[in-house]
Amino acid sequence: MDHTLNNDALMRVSLLDGQARALLIKSTALCEAARRIHNTSRVATAALGRLLTATALLGSELKGEGHSVTCMVKGNGPLGTLIAVGRADGGVKGYVQNPDADLPRAGDKLPVGDAVGRAGTLSVIKDLGLKEPYTGRVNLVSGELGEDFAMYFTASEQVPSLVSLGVLVKDTVVAAGGLIVQLMPGASEAAIQSVELSAKMFTNISATMREYDLHGAAQQLLSHLQPQALGESRPRYHCDCSRERAARALISLGREELTQMIEERRGCEVDCHFCNRRQKFDDGELRELLAQATRP
């Protein structure tokens, strides 16, 4: 399942003559696609949108065609577990365990931290086609997700980072975006100070994305850091589920489980959490899958 993204885009930027770098994304349509698919409450839309935005930024760093990154947030708030998966081609998908969960606004801002939970973990799993995936895990700092990803980069990847994530929600997603600024090894004290003093400028990125396209946002946020654009890509909400993949999942259950399903249920349904598509298999199709599962 794929969704047109309007003017969503992601930019890679060199800063301060290579002493720092940035990843900047406009993700409004991506987050709106997720809201429509999952029919999320406002606070769930904001939380899932922030996670999808961060995952798209991480996915843009992948090199291999089959590589992926999975970001999972397990907090003690009413939203439950949130998961997003990004790929090198810009495709991102995700879901929230309790999409209907909601909390009253605290002033003008949605209480994302309370909805996610102040206690819990953020896990980042990178599948780079190796024998074992790389997994990094940190405790949640605030549940707001921007600070939590900054902690992940600092603690798990040893890269000091500023991370800003924002989703402005009314009845629909009005604006969304994200920014990661990272210092490179050997950065001067002057460069470090310039980046640190910029932090306050990045706090309300959704407002910036509401007013500007990606290039305009880059000028507003980064012009004082001597930005040099290195390339752009087009992120999108994309679920790569298929009937063939669902069939393989059923085969992987094994002979005993498939036999039990045939005897007791006379057919089954396989639901995709990421796009809500449902694949139905009748009794005859399950018997064909059982035959495949029993082949040597």
Side-chain angles (χ1 to χ4, degrees):
M1 184 173 287
D2 217 333
H3 297 266
T4 304
L5 283 189
N6 301 327
N7 63 346
D8 280 7
L10 188 153
M11 181 186 297
R12 292 170 291 282
V13 186
S14 174
L15 304 173
L16 299 170
D17 292 323
Q19 295 186 81
R21 67 168 196 154
L23 295 170
L24 179 66
I25 185 175
K26 187 179 182 77
S27 55
T28 306
L30 189 162
C31 296
E32 172 60 14
R35 185 200 67 79
R36 290 197 312 268
I37 290 168
H38 299 296
N39 193 28
T40 42
S41 69
R42 288 190 176 188
V43 73
T45 298
L48 180 59
R50 290 184 190 184
L51 185 63
L52 288 166
T53 297
T55 303
L57 290 168
L58 286 166
S60 72
E61 297 288 274
L62 300 172
K63 307 302 181 186
E65 183 177 341
H67 296 178
S68 67
V69 57
T70 300
C71 298
M72 179 167 55
V73 176
K74 288 188 173 183
N76 64 345
L79 291 179
T81 299
L82 297 90
I83 294 178
V85 182
R87 305 186 72 85
D89 64 1
V92 189
K93 60 184 180 180
Y95 70 91
V96 51
Q97 184 178 2
N98 300 315
D100 299 330
D102 209 351
L103 293 173
R105 282 181 182 268
D108 292 335
K109 292 195 173 182
L110 289 166
V112 173
D114 291 332
V116 170
R118 307 290 180 177
T121 58
L122 164 64
S123 301
V124 177
I125 302 129
K126 295 181 180 179
D127 184 350
L128 306 179
L130 304 175
K131 189 174 182 180
E132 296 290 338
Y134 161 83
T135 300
R137 182 177 292 110
V138 294
N139 291 328
L140 293 176
V141 176
S142 68
E144 297 284 345
L145 298 189
E147 295 171 288
D148 303 302
F149 273 98
M151 175 59 73
Y152 161 75
F153 285 117
T154 300
S156 290
E157 298 195 359
Q158 287 76 54
V159 182
S161 306
L162 294 175
V163 181
S164 178
L165 304 169
V167 181
L168 179 59
V169 186
K170 293 190 176 179
D171 291 333
T172 62
V173 176
V174 177
L179 173 67
I180 299 174
V181 178
Q182 297 179 322
L183 290 162
M184 304 302 287
S188 68
E189 286 298 322
I192 294 171
Q193 188 174 33
S194 293
V195 170
E196 289 178 345
L197 290 173
S198 303
K200 290 183 180 179
M201 298 178 60
F202 305 150
T203 55
N204 195 358
I205 194 166
S206 59
T208 303
M209 291 303 176
R210 186 179 190 180
E211 296 296 322
Y212 301 96
D213 64 10
L214 188 69
H215 288 267
Q219 282 299 112
Q220 287 294 313
L221 296 168
L222 303 172
S223 60
H224 63 293
L225 297 175
Q226 305 161 38
Q228 293 181 308
L230 300 179
E232 289 186 33
S233 57
R234 295 285 175 181
R236 66 200 189 284
Y237 194 98
H238 173 71
C239 183
D240 52 358
C241 72
S242 66
R243 188 166 184 81
E244 292 74 20
R245 181 168 292 188
R248 289 198 298 271
L250 289 171
I251 291 171
S252 70
L253 294 175
R255 294 174 54 187
E256 185 175 340
E257 183 98 8
L258 281 169
T259 300
Q260 185 176 355
M261 291 170 66
I262 292 167
E263 292 175 348
E264 295 180 1
R265 303 183 191 177
R266 303 193 64 80
C268 77
E269 297 176 344
V270 179
D271 294 333
C272 176
H273 289 298
F274 295 104
C275 67
N276 291 333
R277 185 184 299 177
R278 175 169 291 176
Q279 303 286 356
K280 295 183 179 181
F281 294 83
D282 62 27
D283 184 69
E285 289 170 318
L286 287 180
R287 292 182 185 280
E288 290 179 11
L289 296 179
L290 176 62
Q292 295 181 47
T294 56
R295 287 173 190 163

